[in-house]
Amino acid sequence: MTNEAAPLNFIEHIIEEDLSKDYKREQLCFRFPPEPNGYLHIGHASSICLNFGLGERYNAPVNLRFDDTNPAKEEQEFVDAIKKDISWLGYEWATECYASDYFQQLYDWAVQMVKDGKAYVDSQTSEAIAEQKGTPNTPGKPSPFRNRSVEENLDLLEKMKNGETKEGEHVLRAKINMESPNMLMRDPVMYRTINKHHHRTGTDWKIFPMYDWTHGESDYIEQVSHSFCTLEFLPHRELYDWFLDQVYDSNKLRPKQREFARRNLSHTVVSKRKLAQLVSNGVVTGWDDPRMPTISGLRRRGYTPDSIKNFADSIGVGKRENLIDVSHLEFNVREDLNKKAPRIMVVLDPVKLVIDNYPEGKTEMFEAENNQEDESAGSREVPFSKELFIEREDFLESANSKFFRLTLGKEVRLKNAYIIKGESVVKDADGNITEIHCTYDPDSRSGSGSEASLRKVKGTLHWVSAEHALPVEVRLYDRLFTEASPDTNKERDFMEFINPDSLKVITGYAEPSVKNAKPEDNFQFQRLGYFVVDRDTTTERIVFNRTVPLRDSWAKIAE
């Protein structure tokens, strides 16, 4: 059977077509250009995987360029977090770049545009400029300052640069076409004054370039061959090309902007403004809260790099936006962790199980597979004694024939151990069961090969020896929003859809083998789900975050 190559996506078709015409393979260069005004989220992960994946496919460099042109919102913390996330996903960038590296070149080009009569300083308010731009159906009107002299424009621009003007007093605009059907071409703003400290340039610059002026010119400086953006930047392509026309040297490669559709994820918001609102309002504990759709949050939740990359690969790139159900992301992490995560026994809602005929003070060690999906994972020893903890929901005093767990008068197997039979219960004054008493068959030990051990019973329960149990804090995370698309309802604020049950903190009991587990160690709690050790873990207390249950519990709710 031959392995057929995967079909090319439309982005790869664009590259292949360019290679067949005027591009050389050695000229290929891609980039990932985040703005450091927040943490990267799952939407960025798709763009990261696209650009770095193309770099791997074509053996081409991929630059990491920070679009750091707004000191009012950008911080070094976000730069550091972005670099950490990309490295964690397993990608290496060729060059670490910053738009601020190009401030002088961008300014010099802007000065030349003023001299060429292609840019001018506008002294109107932002509201007046917006009003004069017109509407998609009505042309804009020229600014009264559109025909300022070159000398006056250069003088004002220099004063803006030196901080001799107030914020909002002047802007530099490109002189294009106020009647263009594309409103972005109606004399767009190139520079504005911001009197704030920049995380890299300090207070050297008082004016900062706008995205549209910065982005294409940065691509050109870096000789990026293909600048891939999400679909909302399609109207910007005309402006991207117009700005390149002003600086392009035919001896150099000219970048191309092309667009692909966002893949939105259900039960999340990915607007940085809204994510920042969740943080500032205390809905979550920070940008890396395990309920956040940030890459840092997913990492802390227990998602693996491969699960995120597999997810991005499975949804692909397209030309039309659509909403991907978060269950698809959860499926990918289950698939990955099923192969990789060691199995352990943990009881989350414990009730004591006493084996009446088991010897007092006796402890046995049972061998348990670490992962039946991975032969190389080996095994571990688990202690067994007279008193155990089992899950409260695994016992009913009386049950019908469809209940395959423990009940009075019926047998079940304790995983890797013995077959037991329910005998009686002890209750408190309120009628709550505090102890379950049972008997065991000493000849039924798992793996012994005895006739009793081969006896078929319908249920198998996980358990933890009460004497050896390790108390652990378990954070049961769930989806942050109850609605599939919480930020598209025009009549209600997205905050109204916060899931009040998105976090429940309990104490569970784990087998002692996890005593030395480290943050980011993944486990499958047998029969319960996938969990990861949280960074809040100390030598006195292990903290687990639930990544996902073993099965999609929301699917039942939706039925």
Side-chain angles (χ1 to χ4, degrees):
M1 182 176 177
T2 57
N3 291 325
E4 295 184 7
L8 300 180
N9 60 48
F10 84 96
I11 292 289
E12 291 164 339
H13 276 295
I14 289 170
I15 296 171
E16 292 294 334
E17 183 177 352
D18 288 337
L19 287 173
S20 70
K21 294 179 179 178
D22 52 356
Y23 277 40
K24 298 177 181 178
R25 186 171 286 267
E26 58 268 24
Q27 290 179 306
L28 292 180
C29 178
F30 309 105
R31 88 292 170 265
F32 176 64
E35 182 182 358
N37 63 347
Y39 281 51
L40 299 180
H41 53 65
I42 188 64
H44 292 117
S46 290
S47 182
I48 292 169
C49 293
L50 169 63
N51 285 287
F52 283 94
L54 290 171
E56 292 175 352
R57 179 184 178 96
Y58 291 99
N59 194 27
V62 183
N63 291 346
L64 170 60
R65 181 175 71 240
F66 291 96
D67 178 26
D68 57 342
T69 61
N70 187 356
K73 295 183 179 180
E74 295 155 4
E75 299 177 21
Q76 185 63 40
E77 173 196 348
F78 299 138
V79 171
D80 295 340
I82 288 168
K83 290 165 62 176
K84 182 178 179 181
D85 286 345
I86 296 172
S87 295
W88 176 73
L89 283 172
Y91 295 117
E92 294 182 12
W93 50 90
T95 308
E96 183 177 322
C97 310
Y98 295 82
S100 54
D101 293 340
Y102 315 133
F103 279 176
Q104 187 62 55
Q105 176 65 82
L106 291 168
Y107 182 76
D108 291 344
W109 278 333
V111 168
Q112 188 59 50
M113 286 178 63
V114 172
K115 291 178 179 179
D116 293 341
K118 295 182 178 180
Y120 63 97
V121 174
D122 196 338
S123 304
Q124 298 182 99
T125 64
S126 58
E127 292 79 11
I129 291 173
E131 184 177 350
Q132 287 179 344
K133 278 203 169 186
T135 71
N137 298 317
T138 58
K141 297 177 181 178
S143 164
F145 301 100
R146 198 172 196 262
N147 294 317
R148 264 179 167 150
S149 68
V150 170
E151 292 73 23
E152 187 179 2
N153 279 323
L154 290 175
D155 179 61
L156 285 171
L157 183 59
E158 182 72 15
K159 287 179 178 177
M160 289 169 64
K161 175 178 178 288
N162 295 334
E164 298 172 20
T165 60
K166 298 177 183 178
E167 282 194 18
E169 189 174 359
H170 308 287
V171 293
L172 181 71
R173 296 177 70 180
K175 187 185 289 188
I176 308 180
N177 180 6
M178 289 301 293
E179 296 183 356
S180 171
N182 183 348
M183 291 189 65
L184 293 170
M185 301 297 286
R186 296 180 186 178
D187 291 10
V189 174
M190 295 173 63
Y191 278 95
R192 76 286 202 205
T193 304
I194 302 178
N195 292 315
K196 288 186 172 59
H197 183 275
H198 186 277
H199 71 103
R200 293 188 76 245
T201 63
T203 55
D204 292 348
W205 289 88
K206 310 297 183 184
I207 60 171
F208 292 88
M210 299 296 286
Y211 172 86
D212 282 317
W213 167 236
T214 309
H215 192 76
E217 313 326 272
S218 298
D219 288 340
Y220 178 60
I221 291 169
E222 295 171 21
Q223 288 292 274
V224 168
S225 60
H226 295 82
S227 182
F228 295 116
C229 306
T230 46
L231 208 56
E232 66 264 31
F233 289 98
L234 177 57
H236 295 248
R237 193 201 294 185
E238 184 180 2
L239 182 55
Y240 179 98
D241 288 332
W242 188 91
F243 277 139
L244 279 179
D245 288 340
Q246 314 314 310
V247 302
Y248 176 58
D249 178 344
S250 60
N251 293 318
K252 292 187 175 182
L253 179 141
R254 182 182 174 113
K256 290 185 177 181
Q257 175 183 307
R258 295 295 183 265
E259 304 79 24
F260 62 95
R262 279 184 190 273
R263 294 290 196 258
N264 299 310
L265 195 66
S266 75
H267 299 88
T268 64
V269 296
V270 291
S271 156
K272 285 184 184 176
R273 178 182 61 81
K274 291 177 179 177
L275 294 177
Q277 189 176 336
L278 292 171
V279 174
S280 62
N281 288 2
V283 175
V284 294
T285 57
W287 286 92
D288 67 344
D289 185 294
R291 291 165 291 181
M292 291 281 270
T294 57
I295 296 175
S296 295
L298 291 168
R299 177 182 185 175
R300 194 171 174 189
R301 180 81 171 252
Y303 279 76
T304 60
D306 283 344
S307 67
I308 293 174
K309 289 193 281 189
N310 291 341
F311 168 73
D313 184 58
S314 68
I315 62 175
V317 291
K319 299 180 181 181
R320 183 177 299 175
E321 289 193 10
N322 59 353
L323 185 68
I324 306 296
D325 197 290
V326 70
S327 62
H328 187 58
L329 176 63
E330 294 167 348
F331 168 82
N332 277 274
V333 76
R334 285 190 189 97
E335 285 286 290
D336 194 47
L337 290 177
N338 183 50
K339 302 169 188 172
K340 300 174 180 176
R343 277 55 168 162
I344 58 173
M345 292 193 288
V346 181
V347 175
L348 299 184
D349 185 15
V351 62
K352 184 169 284 188
L353 179 74
V354 181
I355 307 174
D356 292 332
N357 61 334
Y358 194 84
E360 291 281 353
K362 181 179 179 180
T363 297
E364 291 181 88
M365 301 300 292
F366 291 126
E367 184 177 2
E369 278 184 306
N370 286 332
N371 187 340
Q372 63 270 31
E373 302 291 327
D374 179 8
E375 291 182 5
S376 66
S379 60
R380 68 196 185 283
E381 288 193 325
V382 183
F384 184 89
S385 59
K386 184 181 182 71
E387 295 187 355
L388 311 172
F389 289 127
I390 65 169
E391 294 289 347
R392 189 170 293 275
E393 68 172 17
D394 281 346
F395 175 79
L396 285 177
E397 275 190 88
S398 58
N400 61 34
S401 59
K402 293 183 179 180
F403 186 75
F404 297 138
R405 287 171 269 183
L406 183 61
T407 186
L408 298 181
K410 292 188 178 180
E411 290 186 327
V412 295
R413 175 172 290 284
L414 295 176
K415 188 168 180 60
N416 302 308
Y418 297 105
I419 292 174
I420 60 170
K421 181 180 180 182
E423 302 290 354
S424 64
V425 296
V426 177
K427 299 181 180 180
D428 63 17
D430 296 322
N432 300 309
I433 296 173
T434 56
E435 285 185 5
I436 303 163
H437 286 255
C438 66
T439 54
Y440 86 116
D441 181 346
D443 295 327
S444 65
R445 177 168 176 160
S446 292
S448 65
S450 67
E451 185 177 343
S453 71
L454 299 175
R455 191 163 74 250
K456 300 293 183 182
V457 291
K458 290 185 176 179
T460 301
L461 309 184
H462 67 281
W463 50 271
V464 175
S465 167
E467 179 185 349
H468 307 90
L470 192 66
V472 292
E473 179 180 317
V474 181
R475 299 171 181 174
L476 300 174
Y477 288 103
D478 207 338
R479 299 176 186 180
L480 188 54
F481 294 97
T482 56
E483 288 289 312
S485 188
D487 57 350
T488 58
N489 189 313
K490 296 180 180 179
E491 298 180 358
R492 296 178 63 183
D493 185 87
F494 79 102
M495 298 284 277
E496 295 181 41
F497 300 114
I498 295 291
N499 178 9
D501 301 317
S502 65
L503 172 60
K504 182 181 179 182
V505 181
I506 63 174
T507 297
Y509 291 95
E511 63 176 71
S513 68
V514 302
K515 185 176 182 180
N516 297 317
K518 301 291 189 295
E520 296 191 20
D521 284 351
N522 298 98
F523 295 93
Q524 184 197 95
F525 290 5
Q526 290 188 316
R527 301 176 62 232
L528 299 174
Y530 294 98
F531 293 75
V532 66
V533 181
D534 188 75
R535 66 156 190 242
D536 289 341
T537 291
T538 65
T539 53
E540 292 78 31
R541 179 189 62 160
I542 297 179
V543 179
F544 283 101
N545 298 331
R546 182 170 66 186
T547 308
V548 284
L550 275 186
R551 293 172 185 82
D552 182 4
S553 58
W554 283 73
K556 296 179 181 178
I557 297 173
E559 289 176 355

